[in-house]
Amino acid sequence: MANKKSHSYPSITLADCIACLMCVDVCPTGALDIVTRNGARGFRRYPCLSFADKCVSCAACKFECPTGAIFMKQEVAEAAEEEM
Amino acid sequence: MADAYMGKILKVDLGSGVIEEESIPDSVYEKFLSGSGLGGFILYNRIPAGADPLGPDNIMGFVSGLLTGTGSLFTGRWMAMAKSPLTGGYGESNCGGNLSPAIKRCGYDGIFFSGISEKPVYLYISGAKAELKDASDLWGKDAIETENILLERHSSGRKPRVACIGQAGERLSLIAGISNDLGRMAARSGLGAVMGAKRLKAIVLGGSKKIASHDKDAMKALSAGCNKWVQFQPWFLSGNGLRFLGMILRYLPFQTAMDGMLFKIMLTKWGTVSLNQYSIEIGDSPVKNWAGSNLDFPKALSDSIGPDRIKARETAKYHCYSCPLGCGGICSGPSLAGETHKPEYETVTALGALLLNNDLESLFLLNDKLNRAGMDTISAGVTAAFAFECFEKGILTEKETDGLKLKWGDSRALVSLIDKMIAREGIGDILADGVKRAAEKIGKNADCYAMHSGGQELSMHDARFDPGFGLHYTTEPTPGRHTIGSQMYYEMYRLWKRVPGLSRPWLVYSKKSKYRVNRKKILWAVACSRFINVLNGAGGCAFGAFIGVDRFPVFEWLNAATGWNRTPLDYMAVGKRIQAMKQAFNLKHGLDPASIRPNPRAVGSPPAEKGANKGRDLDLDKMVADYWSESGWNTKTGVPGADTAADFTNV
């Protein structure tokens, strides 16, 4: 397995996320999943980096996002923290 | 090949087990788009005339939308289609959820099944491999349990997406639908029975292919513009306030043209259940099997199923794929084993006001039961209301109902009856095939109380409130459904903003004017039909389109995604072609369009004696003839012109 710390990971800004879940669909490896969270617009089913070990840093989710709510971060722990 | 579509379909012969790909010429997409158009094209050309809908010659399709996965919003709907066992004509059902992009990510625009399998099977696609797998262990399980088992079984890679049937489809109930994403239903046309007859329990799609888009930057810019409108959400009335507004509007002699942004605000706040009480008050909801009125289901009764009561049970908003709005919801409750999808307005009204049932808990329970069994909640409610009225009239007695006393408003009797329909036990066996078949079996003039059009149970929008519903219930190749057009839909689509030659409705008009048939309103209805066929070819959601085509830029998205350079008029011509093809399908299979009429009660014959729609009736014969004339079809027979027919085969 590659050293994950050398990779970048998606971080989702919930305030900008519209929960369209297009990022979950475009993810080629299934690293993103759906989790119910209390975001800026109340409880919704939001995308989440649930399986960071599956992430191949392709940034497809970032390019798919229609609102610019996803950006790539270097550390998985940091990315997860940012999401919360 | 243009971008946006995959250019291929997958054909699965369930009889022989042969699975093969087929390339589809660009000209097919150019003439019919994908989705409903591509599916209709395959069905029209490949199902032999007179084929048994539950036999091996019927073809069952699952097709994605042309815009699905290209970066556009509100465009994640998939369509199932086959010859309908319910109507005997073209059958189609349309669903959100998460299946539409999964079809494309397997490398296909559509997956088509023919033949009948010897044993229960499901199709599993992962990577480049498509295979039929044994589903004997899944046969008999409900749709939610089936999906959860399949998700667990195929959890090693990318999470697959599933569409499946429950027990209703397995038992060939002609009002069975297809479930996706744990209870989103492609419910109409009885297509679950077609899957059941083919012994196809499910499709499980785990592909990860890229979906191209010609101009991704343009797509994003268009989506950003659309999203701004969707996110506009000012303060709005409470549920009771909305009911009160409906009551005020009922008393006014005039009404204003509906801007879909208002409905968008209601959808964002509550979902479709926003209409639960408002529509009763204003006269849009049928009550007591269409024989009652708002006076039979007043505030004192409807308060318990008001939008705020249902929203209080919502634990999270549910978004279909690519939807920025999220009108769906995940709910829980004491009568439920776990989480369930929030009931929709159609469900609440079909199992509520239509039966004078105001027991909220029973509505959650029935919604969950029917979703699990994979049975259309609209058709189930309409058929139950028919049975209740037959019981009231003495046509059915306790002897036929196995001791059930079907008294209006009795939720316990209703739950028992629906249980019998799902299990096909006793009276439930007769009712499980829908209201038309039930009336034929029961006899004794029971068809007077069977609320359907061409065999399809009518939806929960009253044609006496909006005559446009009556026209579309009658003239569409898929009759009896509310998802195509009405006068109010035309106001919300705002097609005049993009399509030259279409007129803008008056901002304020008298209610009486709605019932006068004139060319302008017929042209609006024809435009709705053509537009909805474009939308269903694109995989678009009507709730997105309701904010207006200037705010939901479907024509611009289509050009940016494909690289085509077409005008909205060009796309409306495509919609015209798709609709005519479906009509030609019905003619090929022996249906007589002129014989299809909704139950007279639904169009004010005789007119209601009280309530919001008192005294209203429709001149349906004139409306239909004028509609066919403006469509370029024979005004007496509904047969499309010869030049149009040639379009369906020569591509």
Side-chain angles (χ1 to χ4, degrees):
Chain A
M1 181 186 285
N3 175 11
K4 290 292 170 188
K5 290 202 173 183
S6 67
H7 288 196
S8 57
Y9 298 86
S11 177
I12 301 156
T13 310
L14 281 193
D16 296 330
C17 178
I18 56 172
C20 68
L21 306 176
M22 296 205 295
C23 54
V24 177
D25 177 74
V26 81
C27 177
T29 63
L32 292 173
D33 202 359
I34 301 167
V35 172
T36 298
R37 286 179 171 183
N38 191 7
R41 299 163 64 221
F43 282 93
R44 267 165 216 270
R45 296 164 80 246
Y46 284 105
C48 177
L49 182 64
S50 296
F51 307 103
D53 58 321
K54 290 185 179 177
C55 179
V56 293
S57 308
C58 66
C61 50
K62 175 188 168 184
F63 294 114
E64 190 75 2
C65 179
T67 63
I70 301 178
F71 59 98
M72 302 304 284
K73 295 278 286 186
Q74 276 305 116
E75 298 280 342
V76 65
E78 199 179 332
E81 191 179 320
E82 190 74 32
E83 273 190 42
M84 300 306 288
Chain B
M1 189 180 89
D3 291 314
Y5 54 84
M6 314 308 281
K8 282 188 298 186
I9 62 170
L10 189 72
K11 297 185 297 182
V12 182
D13 183 337
L14 292 164
S16 65
V18 172
I19 301 175
E20 56 186 1
E21 292 183 355
E22 178 181 329
S23 293
I24 300 294
D26 287 343
S27 54
V28 172
Y29 297 95
E30 287 159 8
K31 292 180 87 168
F32 300 101
L33 307 179
S34 186
S36 179
L38 173 63
F41 174 77
I42 299 290
L43 265 56
Y44 175 77
N45 284 296
R46 302 189 186 184
I47 299 177
D52 175 4
L54 301 180
D57 289 338
N58 199 3
I59 296 175
M60 170 96 214
F62 297 83
V63 188
S64 181
L66 188 65
L67 283 175
T68 298
T70 62
S72 51
L73 299 176
F74 289 115
T75 45
R77 294 189 77 81
W78 57 280
M79 279 127 277
M81 64 278 294
K83 181 174 178 180
S84 168
L86 191 63
T87 67
Y90 182 77
E92 182 176 281
S93 201
N94 178 309
C95 183
N98 59 23
L99 192 79
S100 191
I103 297 170
K104 277 178 146 173
R105 295 210 183 278
C106 288
Y108 310 109
D109 293 304
I111 302 170
F112 292 86
F113 295 88
S114 60
I116 290 179
S117 173
E118 281 185 13
K119 61 180 183 181
V121 290
Y122 68 91
L123 176 75
Y124 176 55
I125 305 180
S126 176
K129 194 175 176 189
E131 54 189 322
L132 289 170
K133 287 180 167 286
D134 187 5
S136 300
D137 62 321
L138 301 170
W139 206 252
K141 295 193 186 304
D142 73 42
I144 310 296
E145 194 180 2
T146 298
E147 181 164 346
N148 280 325
I149 290 171
L150 289 169
L151 290 174
E152 179 68 28
R153 186 176 295 173
H154 299 289
S155 62
S156 58
R158 198 178 125 91
K159 193 174 179 180
R161 309 303 185 200
V162 178
C164 63
I165 54 171
Q167 299 95 330
E170 293 176 10
R171 293 169 185 150
L172 308 185
S173 161
L174 300 189
I175 55 173
I178 304 164
S179 170
N180 164 231
D181 205 6
L182 303 171
R184 307 299 293 180
M185 295 294 296
R188 310 241 74 192
S189 291
L191 301 182
V194 179
M195 277 184 79
K198 292 187 176 302
R199 298 194 186 91
L200 175 65
K201 180 68 177 175
I203 61 172
V204 184
L205 308 179
S208 59
K209 290 200 166 53
K210 190 171 182 286
I211 303 168
S213 190
H214 178 74
D215 187 343
K216 193 77 180 172
D217 290 339
M219 294 299 289
K220 275 204 167 188
L222 290 164
S223 295
C226 174
N227 184 50
K228 279 184 186 167
W229 287 103
V230 178
Q231 301 310 326
F232 174 69
Q233 185 68 15
W235 175 89
F236 194 65
L237 300 167
S238 67
N240 195 41
L242 186 58
R243 183 202 62 77
F244 189 70
L245 175 65
M247 190 185 75
I248 298 292
L249 293 176
R250 185 177 77 234
Y251 285 117
L252 297 177
F254 56 86
Q255 72 179 71
T256 57
M258 178 78 164
D259 189 314
M261 279 301 290
L262 176 63
F263 188 46
K264 195 283 314 173
I265 290 165
M266 291 157 63
L267 283 175
T268 300
K269 184 163 183 175
W270 294 287
T272 55
V273 294
S274 54
L275 300 175
N276 284 3
Q277 289 181 285
Y278 172 84
S279 281
I280 291 169
E281 292 294 339
I282 205 167
D284 178 39
S285 300
V287 176
K288 203 180 177 187
N289 201 30
W290 295 71
S293 73
N294 56 302
L295 300 175
D296 296 294
F297 209 65
K299 177 181 184 300
L301 287 177
S302 68
D303 266 351
S304 62
I305 59 167
D308 289 334
R309 296 289 294 272
I310 291 182
K311 188 178 168 65
R313 302 279 291 271
E314 188 178 82
T315 55
K317 290 280 187 190
Y318 172 90
H319 293 239
C320 297
Y321 166 80
S322 80
C323 174
L325 194 157
C327 69
I330 303 297
C331 293
S332 58
S335 65
L336 306 171
E339 289 186 324
T340 187
H341 280 284
K342 179 172 65 181
E344 302 290 344
Y345 159 79
E346 293 287 327
T347 304
V348 171
T349 303
L351 297 162
L354 202 67
L355 288 136
L356 303 188
N357 172 30
N358 72 332
D359 176 0
L360 181 64
E361 205 55 49
S362 75
L363 294 173
F364 273 99
L365 180 64
L366 288 169
N367 182 56
D368 190 53
K369 274 178 185 281
L370 289 164
N371 284 350
R372 285 178 178 277
M375 187 180 274
D376 179 3
T377 55
I378 301 174
S379 291
V382 171
T383 308
F386 158 81
F388 274 56
E389 185 160 3
C390 284
F391 190 87
E392 182 186 55
K393 298 285 194 291
I395 296 171
L396 289 176
T397 65
E398 284 182 64
K399 188 180 167 193
E400 286 95 12
T401 62
D402 311 319
L404 285 179
K405 292 178 182 172
L406 303 179
K407 297 277 179 69
W408 296 110
D410 185 340
S411 62
R412 292 178 68 179
L414 175 61
V415 172
S416 298
L417 188 68
I418 296 288
D419 280 340
K420 284 179 177 296
M421 288 169 64
I422 292 169
R424 274 194 176 276
E425 287 175 1
I427 184 73
D429 187 38
I430 293 171
L431 300 176
D433 289 332
V435 77
K436 182 184 176 200
R437 302 302 194 291
E440 286 168 357
K441 287 176 185 168
I442 292 168
K444 305 176 193 172
N445 290 327
D447 59 327
C448 295
Y449 315 112
M451 303 306 294
H452 70 90
S453 182
Q456 177 70 73
E457 290 73 18
L458 295 177
S459 304
M460 297 299 105
H461 295 281
D462 201 319
R464 295 165 295 188
F465 167 72
D466 186 332
F469 285 119
L471 181 56
H472 291 284
Y473 286 161
T474 311
T475 55
E476 295 296 337
T478 50
R481 57 185 64 191
H482 63 290
T483 48
I484 295 167
S486 74
Q487 290 186 25
M488 189 171 60
Y489 285 13
Y490 182 80
E491 292 164 7
M492 292 195 287
Y493 289 148
R494 294 159 65 91
L495 288 168
W496 64 88
K497 290 277 186 181
R498 287 290 181 273
V499 182
L502 288 176
S503 61
R504 181 181 192 142
W506 290 103
L507 187 60
V508 180
Y509 52 89
S510 79
K511 284 182 180 169
K512 281 184 181 173
S513 71
K514 286 199 296 185
Y515 304 91
R516 287 186 210 118
V517 183
N518 61 32
R519 182 164 185 261
K520 184 175 70 174
K521 275 178 275 190
I522 297 299
L523 287 174
W524 293 351
V526 170
C528 282
S529 296
R530 291 175 183 176
F531 175 67
I532 208 71
N533 277 296
V534 174
L535 195 68
N536 289 343
C541 174
F543 293 163
F546 280 164
I547 65 173
V549 291
D550 51 331
R551 301 155 177 160
F552 165 82
V554 64
F555 301 122
E556 292 86 343
W557 269 325
L558 281 167
N559 282 341
T562 57
W564 297 336
N565 184 23
R566 293 178 161 191
T567 65
L569 265 179
D570 294 336
Y571 285 112
M572 293 294 273
V574 169
K576 175 185 180 183
R577 185 180 300 122
I578 297 170
Q579 194 204 17
M581 180 172 63
K582 293 174 183 173
Q583 184 81 338
F585 179 99
N586 286 352
L587 291 161
K588 175 180 170 181
H589 289 268
L591 259 63
D592 172 16
S595 70
I596 295 175
R597 286 287 185 279
N599 185 303
R601 182 188 279 179
V603 290
S605 179
E609 293 175 359
K610 58 176 184 172
N613 294 317
K614 180 182 173 184
R616 292 172 180 169
D617 62 349
L618 278 62
D619 187 355
L620 197 58
D621 288 339
K622 177 168 172 49
M623 290 168 76
V624 170
D626 288 357
Y627 174 92
W628 283 345
S629 172
E630 294 299 344
S631 296
W633 301 357
N634 185 295
T635 55
K636 290 194 171 65
T637 62
V639 176
D643 54 335
T644 328
D647 268 359
F648 313 147
T649 44
N650 301 328
V651 292

